[in-house]
Amino acid sequence: MRKITLAILILGLGLSLMMPVYANSTTSSVREPWQVAMHNALDWMQAASPDGPQVGGIIGEWSVIALVHAGRIDMGDAWLQSWLDELSGDTSRALRRWTDYQRVVLALDALGLDATDFAGRNFAQPFWRFVPVSSRAVMNRTIMADIYALRALNTVGQSSSLFFAHLMHVQRADGSWSLNPAQPSSAFDIDTTAMAVRALAPFYLQGNSRAVHAVGRAMPWLHAQTFNNAESTAQMIVALVGLGAAYAEYAAYYVNHLMQWYDPALGGFIREGFSGRVNALTTVQAAYALAVYYQFMANMNVSSAR
């Protein structure tokens, strides 16, 4: 992977939040290769699930968010309606973990809906209150439950201070986060750390000193890693977009890096080591990252990229 000068990357942490003017390819009638890949991947997702997204499914909440960010669906879309109808019914089998509910909150928010009062339900209620890790159900003990609680609660205006404090507490000495903080490091730490940075991004942009310090420790660690799959690269794009316009050039680099896993003949993204067929999860993550980047470049406004 091409090395980005570490000093420059660290300097970016101190840049002002003024919005510079960048060349905006989204305003042109000529699509960039990454835009073509994004739209084709979104087409692939919809074709792979013709009856609509599924609550808690691979082609589910992240697909909804991606299509919204790309300007492809709104509340009147027939493909979306089945997902909304499913949310209005019994979701006990589809939504079991906190992260399942957190994705729903993020998707409803992307659609401009109130996740605390949809079809008579508050989808934030299951994870509304911080519970010590040792007292949680086993399925809610990974750091993902805290990372996405931070993001989801931020969208509904609910205090997330204890989840924030927990994320600060379990950051490792090298600046990374691990899926299970009590366990040894793993290859998934890249994804986890990028997701944690994205969750901290609103606090970082507000100048919260603890968030600025935590992100400042995480970014050099991320910079030193090798991004050898589409999923990790997608999470890095989302994290960088979350940190605002000062990181636009870095985000653009990882967008280009992501394209090596796009198969134009198949219209989707390939999982590393499995050529010849599109992987649904990889394609959803890549399409989501590209759609977030698309909206970011269109608006140059980090607050719109949730």
Side-chain angles (χ1 to χ4, degrees):
M1 185 182 106
R2 186 187 71 181
K3 293 294 185 180
I4 303 172
T5 304
L6 181 58
I8 295 175
L9 186 58
I10 295 174
L11 179 62
L13 293 167
L15 294 177
S16 72
L17 301 181
M18 294 177 63
M19 298 297 185
V21 177
Y22 292 91
N24 187 351
S25 63
T26 61
T27 62
S28 171
S29 59
V30 179
R31 288 178 175 174
E32 298 287 343
W34 66 266
Q35 290 176 282
V36 174
M38 177 191 74
H39 284 291
N40 287 345
L42 294 173
D43 288 342
W44 186 94
M45 290 189 317
Q46 289 188 289
S49 186
D51 295 330
Q54 296 181 340
V55 173
I58 293 176
I59 301 178
E61 288 70 45
W62 292 123
S63 300
V64 171
I65 298 170
L67 285 157
V68 171
H69 283 328
R72 293 270 300 257
I73 60 171
D74 56 26
M75 286 296 297
D77 191 272
W79 188 79
L80 175 67
Q81 194 58 49
S82 65
W83 180 78
L84 294 170
D85 291 343
E86 190 178 353
L87 276 182
S88 301
D90 180 7
T91 58
S92 59
R93 295 182 65 180
L95 305 179
R96 300 174 60 240
R97 300 168 298 178
W98 286 0
T99 49
D100 297 332
Y101 285 93
Q102 290 155 3
R103 290 194 307 272
V104 169
V105 170
L106 292 171
L108 288 173
D109 180 73
L111 288 164
L113 299 173
D114 183 0
T116 66
D117 185 16
F118 178 81
R121 297 178 64 185
N122 179 355
F123 283 95
Q125 189 277 330
F127 60 91
W128 197 277
R129 180 175 63 91
F130 179 83
V131 176
V133 174
S134 60
S135 300
R136 299 178 190 176
V138 172
M139 65 182 71
N140 295 325
R141 289 182 183 176
T142 73
I143 196 64
M144 289 301 164
D146 302 275
I147 288 172
Y148 281 98
L150 206 57
R151 285 190 63 180
L153 291 176
N154 190 52
T155 69
V156 297
Q158 177 68 17
S159 173
S160 57
S161 59
L162 292 179
F163 289 101
F164 178 92
H166 181 65
L167 208 56
M168 296 295 98
H169 177 68
V170 298
Q171 187 177 20
R172 294 189 163 182
D174 62 5
S176 68
W177 280 270
S178 183
L179 188 62
N180 292 291
Q183 300 297 319
S185 296
S186 72
F188 196 67
D189 289 359
I190 298 176
D191 305 55
T192 306
T193 301
M195 292 177 196
V197 168
R198 177 59 190 89
L200 292 173
F203 304 91
Y204 167 82
L205 290 173
Q206 293 164 9
N208 180 294
S209 60
R210 296 183 71 190
V212 169
H213 180 66
V215 171
R217 292 172 59 204
M219 292 307 293
W221 184 89
L222 282 167
H223 162 71
Q225 307 309 305
T226 298
F227 287 77
N228 58 10
N229 62 71
E231 293 89 343
S232 297
T233 306
Q235 297 303 333
M236 187 62 165
I237 293 166
V238 174
L240 290 167
V241 166
L243 293 175
Y247 287 86
E249 289 186 23
Y250 304 120
Y253 166 76
Y254 286 98
V255 166
N256 289 330
H257 186 69
L258 179 64
M259 289 296 291
Q260 68 186 285
W261 293 287
Y262 172 65
D263 188 323
L266 299 176
F269 285 79
I270 306 299
R271 176 160 284 182
E272 183 68 22
F274 294 89
S275 61
R277 59 187 175 88
V278 172
N279 181 274
L281 182 59
T282 302
T283 297
V284 168
Q285 290 193 31
Y288 167 65
L290 291 176
V292 167
Y293 180 72
Y294 175 87
Q295 189 178 66
F296 173 67
M297 290 301 294
N299 301 325
M300 199 49 71
N301 182 352
V302 70
S303 66
S304 68
R306 287 178 172 161

